[in-house]
Amino acid sequence: MTRQRRAVTRALADYQDFVSAQELYALLVAGDHAIGLTTVYRALRELEADGGVDVVREETGGRLYRLRPADGHRHYLMCRDCGRSRPVDSEVVEEWAGRIAADTGFAAVEHTVELTGVCADCQPSRNEGEPPCHWDRAPGPRGPVHSCAS
């Protein structure tokens, strides 16, 4: 692993959310790392190829990166307003992709699932002075429950 790739990996580890290559480059330069934007892109491509990062697309088509947790590939729900993300249970997606591969005879099947919404902090209040709607932490029988109750 090169010095630059180590710096990119450390910067991703320090950043808790998804980040663009340009934002990551700015963080590295601000931290006095001598690195070029092209090198950041190259390191991110290598990390992606090695399974070291999760990647999602912005609405504009740009790619955002996040260091992949040690327990492996995840899917995320991302806020379209602020960019905050949270991992979601995606076991059913993984099982479905495996079933499709087995049923079709395809090998090395990959998939991309992108879930976006508006987080509770970015949702406007229903009426002046009312708290915004939010996702209850305790899931109902079909998953998290959307609630506008205080």
Side-chain angles (χ1 to χ4, degrees):
M1 184 180 288
T2 65
R3 174 181 55 82
Q4 292 91 345
R5 186 167 169 182
R6 274 193 303 276
V8 167
T9 302
R10 274 195 302 269
L12 283 169
D14 291 343
Y15 201 82
Q16 296 301 311
D17 238 325
F18 282 92
V19 63
S20 71
Q22 295 89 352
E23 291 169 322
L24 190 58
Y25 168 73
L27 290 169
L28 288 162
V29 170
D32 291 329
H33 290 280
I35 192 168
L37 181 56
T38 302
T39 303
V40 171
Y41 274 107
R42 186 179 313 112
L44 289 169
R45 275 195 311 274
E46 291 170 359
L47 285 166
E48 181 180 3
D50 293 344
V53 292
D54 287 323
V55 183
V56 296
R57 292 209 182 267
E58 291 180 288
E59 287 182 8
T60 60
R63 297 165 66 86
L64 300 173
Y65 304 87
R66 183 178 187 168
L67 199 60
R68 182 168 286 172
D71 60 353
H73 170 74
R74 290 191 179 168
H75 294 285
Y76 295 88
L77 175 60
M78 293 190 61
C79 179
R80 288 188 299 268
D81 287 350
C82 69
R84 181 180 299 135
S85 65
R86 64 182 297 175
V88 295
D89 178 20
S90 58
E91 186 175 327
V92 68
V93 172
E94 304 303 328
E95 291 171 0
W96 173 78
R99 219 174 30 254
I100 294 294
D103 291 351
T104 61
F106 275 65
V109 171
E110 296 180 7
H111 62 275
T112 303
V113 176
E114 295 187 16
L115 302 169
T116 64
V118 180
C119 73
D121 291 340
C122 293
Q123 293 175 28
S125 292
R126 291 176 35 185
N127 293 317
E128 191 73 26
E130 279 189 23
C133 297
H134 63 278
W135 288 100
D136 289 337
R137 293 189 196 281
R142 294 181 172 256
V145 179
H146 190 251
S147 170
C148 291
S150 55

